[in-house]
Amino acid sequence: MNIQKPTFEAIEPDFGHSFTYQKFDENKLNKNNVWHFHPELELVYVNGGSGKRQIGSHVSYYTNGDLILIGSNLPHCGFTDALTGNTSETVVQMKMDFLGTDFFKIPEMKKIESLFNSATGGIAFYGKTKIKIGEKMEVLEYQTDFQRLLSILNILNELGNSNEMRLLNASGFSLATDVKDNDRINVVFNHVKNNFKEEITLEEISSMVSMTIPSFCRYFKKITNKTFVQFANEYRLVHASKLLAEKPMSITEVCFECGFNNFSHFNKSFKAFTGQNPSEYRNELKTVIN
C-alpha cells in the first residue's frame, strides 16, 4: 500500500521580511495540494472559481472565490488546482508574533488578537468583506515591502471588525502540541483525500497509524469532534456537491463516483448534509449561476 506521508511545511520569509507573500495564477500554479500544517497563520484569497475547502475536520465546497484565515498548526489542503477555474490566488503567511511578542497586546490591536484566536478553527469570510478584502489583497502585488506590511495590518483589522465570517470548525478541532498528533491526523486526512471513492475500513485506517480500532475511534473523535465514518462521508458529499455543480453527470453517476454504493443512502445523507436532495441542490445552483 502506498501511504502518502504527511507534510510539515517549513515557511521561512525572505531575508529582511517578517511575513511571506505569494501570488499564484495560471502561469504559476500553487502545487501544495496535500494535507499539511505549519505554525504560521495563513490568509488566502482565491479570486473567482470554485473548489473544495478542506480545513481541520471541516470540508465544504466554495463558489465565486474564497477568503479564508487559517490558524497556527491547523491542518489544511490546497484550495486551488488546474480545474478550479480561479483567476489567481494570493497567500500571506505570518507567525502569531511576527511583529514582536507583545505587539498585538496593545489596545489598538485587540481586534486582531481576537481574530487570531478565532482562527484556530479556521474562518471563511463572505459578502462585502470577501470582495473588499480580496481587492486589497490583490493590490499587495504592486506595493513595496513596507506598504505591504501596513496593508496587511489594515486587512487584519478590517477582518477583526467584520461580522461576515463563519467559523469552519465551530464544533471543535483540537490538536495536541505533540508533532506526532499532527503527523498521525495528516496520514488519515491524506488517505481519505486520495481514497474516498473506495471503501475505507476502520481496520485499514487504524493500522496505518498503528492504533487499535477502539483507540483510533476515541482519538479521532477527540480531535475532530466527528467519527471517522462521518468525516469520510462528509468528504464524499462535498465531492458530490462539486460534481453536481460542475459536471453534466446523472445523480446516479455522481453517487457512485463519490464512493457511495447505495443510492437511497446517498440521497438521504446528501439531504441531511445540505438540507436539499441532490436534484434540488443542482437546480438551485443553476438558478444562482444563471
Side-chain angles (χ1 to χ4, degrees):
M1 182 184 296
N2 181 25
I3 300 175
Q4 184 175 4
K5 290 194 177 293
T7 304
F8 171 83
E9 185 180 4
I11 299 169
E12 287 297 332
D14 294 335
F15 180 77
H17 294 75
S18 57
F19 58 89
T20 300
Y21 159 81
Q22 296 179 86
K23 177 77 173 285
F24 302 97
D25 55 31
E26 61 182 4
N27 298 315
K28 182 188 176 185
L29 294 176
N30 188 349
K31 297 180 179 179
N32 195 358
N33 289 318
V34 298
W35 287 96
H36 63 283
F37 62 95
H38 42 73
E40 292 78 8
L41 292 103
E42 181 169 302
L43 181 62
V44 182
Y45 173 61
V46 179
N47 185 344
S50 57
K52 290 178 187 173
R53 182 195 288 140
Q54 306 165 54
I55 301 171
S57 59
H58 172 92
V59 188
S60 57
Y61 177 72
Y62 70 83
T63 57
N64 300 319
D66 211 0
L67 178 63
I68 318 155
L69 181 63
I70 305 162
S72 174
N73 286 325
L74 180 60
H76 56 283
C77 202
F79 307 105
T80 62
D81 56 33
L83 303 176
T84 308
N86 59 298
T87 304
S88 62
E89 180 182 7
T90 304
V91 179
V92 175
Q93 295 161 322
M94 70 216 102
K95 285 191 165 70
M96 292 279 285
D97 58 353
F98 80 109
L99 292 177
T101 308
D102 298 321
F103 183 79
F104 291 107
K105 300 292 184 184
I106 65 176
E108 293 82 1
M109 296 294 120
K110 285 297 181 185
K111 290 281 188 177
I112 299 179
E113 184 186 26
S114 177
L115 178 73
F116 283 1
N117 291 332
S118 297
T120 56
I123 305 172
F125 297 89
Y126 56 89
K128 293 180 180 178
T129 300
K130 182 171 76 170
I131 297 170
K132 183 179 180 182
I133 299 302
E135 290 174 350
K136 291 191 175 188
M137 288 189 67
E138 297 260 275
V139 172
L140 293 175
E141 181 178 8
Y142 309 104
Q143 296 181 331
T144 65
D145 293 334
F146 184 70
Q147 288 172 333
R148 272 183 194 161
L149 177 60
L150 295 180
S151 293
I152 289 169
L153 280 175
N154 179 265
I155 286 169
L156 292 173
N157 186 59
E158 289 198 33
L159 292 178
N161 283 290
S162 173
N163 293 319
E164 296 177 311
M165 62 165 67
R166 183 162 68 98
L167 190 61
L168 299 180
N169 288 276
S171 59
F173 184 90
S174 171
L175 272 177
T177 54
D178 190 346
V179 173
K180 184 190 296 184
D181 279 320
N182 264 316
D183 288 349
R184 188 179 281 157
I185 207 70
N186 273 275
V187 166
V188 175
F189 285 176
N190 275 318
H191 189 69
V192 172
K193 177 179 183 289
N194 293 324
N195 299 280
F196 68 91
K197 294 181 183 180
E198 311 296 331
E199 182 184 5
I200 305 174
T201 65
L202 284 172
E203 183 178 19
E204 171 190 354
I205 199 71
S206 58
S207 67
M208 287 175 63
V209 291
S210 303
M211 300 178 79
T212 64
I213 292 175
S215 295
F216 171 75
C217 290
R218 286 193 299 270
Y219 166 81
F220 194 84
K221 183 70 180 286
K222 179 182 177 183
I223 285 184
T224 66
N225 209 33
K226 296 178 180 180
T227 67
F228 174 75
V229 172
Q230 180 185 358
F231 173 76
N233 279 341
E234 284 183 3
Y235 197 100
R236 295 179 177 115
L237 291 167
V238 169
H239 189 66
S241 303
K242 182 176 170 65
L243 293 180
L244 287 167
E246 298 175 5
K247 303 291 183 182
M249 302 169 65
S250 72
I251 293 173
T252 303
E253 288 174 319
V254 169
C255 165
F256 292 108
E257 178 65 19
C258 294
F260 285 92
N261 54 20
N262 182 295
F263 186 70
S264 66
H265 176 57
F266 167 69
N267 266 318
K268 184 178 179 181
S269 299
F270 193 90
K271 185 162 188 176
F273 187 60
T274 67
Q276 299 171 303
N277 65 42
S279 58
E280 289 171 340
Y281 179 87
R282 173 175 268 170
N283 290 334
E284 184 177 286
L285 203 57
K286 283 180 181 177
T287 305
V288 171
I289 293 174
N290 294 333

